[in-house]
Amino acid sequence: MFIRGRMLIFFLDVVSKWYELVVFTASMQIYGAAVADKLDNRRGILRRRFYRQHCTPEMGSYTKDLTSVSSDLSRVFILDNSPAAYRAFPDNAIPIKSWFSDTSDTALLNLLPMLDALRFTDDVRSVLSRNLHNHNLWQ
């Protein structure tokens, strides 16, 4: 867990220099806020937060409305382990596998080159809509 934690903190530190990071979780706020506070560690990189009450219950799961984050979806992407969460916005999605204590998991670090390049595109959907959500590239 410690190794993964260091990788996650490194990932957040790097990506927060490129993007505004927004927490959008289907977890209840009492749990999600505690996790986000721990990850943020008073650095101010996770200021905007959306929780279960901001999601839409749909077909037994929760869907996240990315227009809550920004009306300009050309600059918004979601990194999520649940395809149901982004079913309304597949062209803005970067799927990632769920993490279950695998200390050799480097999925987040593997995303860094793509996220670095993605920030230079005019519309993230022009890249992400190329069926990335149908592949296991980041797993």
Side-chain angles (χ1 to χ4, degrees):
M1 179 87 162
F2 180 69
I3 293 172
R4 174 61 178 219
R6 284 195 346 230
M7 280 193 265
L8 176 58
I9 297 303
F10 174 78
F11 176 83
L12 291 174
D13 284 343
V14 170
V15 177
S16 70
K17 291 177 177 78
W18 300 336
Y19 299 100
E20 175 190 5
L21 302 182
V22 177
V23 172
F24 204 146
T25 179
S27 296
M28 293 179 9
Q29 185 169 347
I30 193 160
Y31 170 74
V35 173
D37 287 345
K38 181 91 169 153
L39 293 173
D40 189 79
N41 197 23
R42 300 180 192 189
R43 292 175 295 170
I45 62 173
L46 301 175
R47 287 177 286 211
R48 293 184 59 209
R49 301 174 183 191
F50 298 86
Y51 304 102
R52 181 173 292 174
Q53 68 265 30
H54 303 105
C55 297
T56 304
E58 189 175 302
M59 299 179 351
S61 62
Y62 292 93
T63 300
K64 300 169 184 175
D65 182 357
L66 297 184
T67 62
S68 299
V69 175
S70 174
S71 59
D72 181 7
L73 293 179
S74 70
R75 306 302 311 148
V76 175
F77 63 86
I78 182 171
L79 176 62
D80 207 296
N81 66 324
S82 172
Y86 53 79
R87 79 167 47 100
F89 303 95
D91 293 342
N92 294 83
I94 301 172
I96 194 159
K97 70 177 182 172
S98 297
W99 183 74
F100 297 105
S101 302
D102 178 2
T103 57
S104 65
D105 180 354
T106 58
L108 290 175
L109 297 181
N110 295 344
L111 279 173
L112 289 175
M114 196 263 304
L115 293 177
D116 184 20
L118 192 61
R119 65 191 171 126
F120 298 105
T121 186
D122 291 331
D123 189 334
V124 298
R125 297 168 297 188
S126 69
V127 174
L128 300 179
S129 66
R130 296 179 184 179
N131 293 320
L132 282 178
H133 52 278
N134 290 327
H135 299 288
N136 295 322
L137 297 176
W138 315 114
Q139 299 190 28

